[in-house]
Amino acid sequence: MNTDKIYAEQLANKYAPKDTTKVVALRKLDTKAKLPATVFTYTFGIVTAMVAGVGMCLSMKVIGSGSAAMFVLGVIVGIIGLLGMGVNYPIYKKLLAVRPLRANLSATLLPDSTPK
């Protein structure tokens, strides 16, 4: 049967070792270089959003005693969270500027990586 042969070839191609080009290797290197900055940015953003949320809950008297002191504390905590979210992107850009310099040596090991 011809369909069995086609299916066998597809399966063999699926598990056969892939030839990686220099462009694919550079793409993987780029992803690997950006990963720590991306992980930090997501983590820092989530934490600061949670801090801002706690501040909002305190100021709207959802949690806490509902006194004026808790309202003021909630506003202060919320502003701290919003400031953290505001500086998240500049920190990310700074980390991206520093990180690829470390991976520059690996990129030089892949000469002539531009497609022709």
Side-chain angles (χ1 to χ4, degrees):
M1 295 193 161
N2 197 15
T3 57
D4 290 338
K5 184 178 179 181
I6 293 171
Y7 179 71
E9 287 178 8
Q10 287 176 346
L11 247 128
N13 288 336
K14 182 177 179 182
Y15 294 106
K18 309 281 190 291
D19 293 332
T20 57
T21 63
K22 293 177 184 177
V23 174
V24 172
L26 279 174
R27 190 175 295 136
K28 286 181 182 179
L29 178 66
D30 184 50
T31 304
K32 186 177 178 183
K34 290 180 180 179
L35 184 64
T38 304
V39 169
F40 172 79
T41 301
Y42 277 108
T43 305
F44 187 70
I46 290 169
V47 169
T48 56
M50 297 294 275
V51 169
V54 168
M56 284 190 284
C57 287
L58 283 170
S59 65
M60 292 187 298
K61 302 173 185 162
V62 173
I63 58 174
S65 64
S67 64
M70 287 304 230
F71 176 77
V72 172
L73 179 67
V75 169
I76 292 171
V77 170
I79 289 173
I80 290 170
L82 291 174
L83 287 175
M85 286 187 280
V87 299
N88 194 13
Y89 186 67
I91 291 172
Y92 173 70
K93 293 304 267 186
K94 187 70 83 172
L95 288 174
L96 281 184
V98 171
R99 191 70 185 176
L101 294 176
R102 295 180 188 167
N104 195 14
L105 178 64
S106 297
T108 58
L109 296 177
L110 298 167
D112 193 28
S113 60
T114 57
K116 296 182 182 189

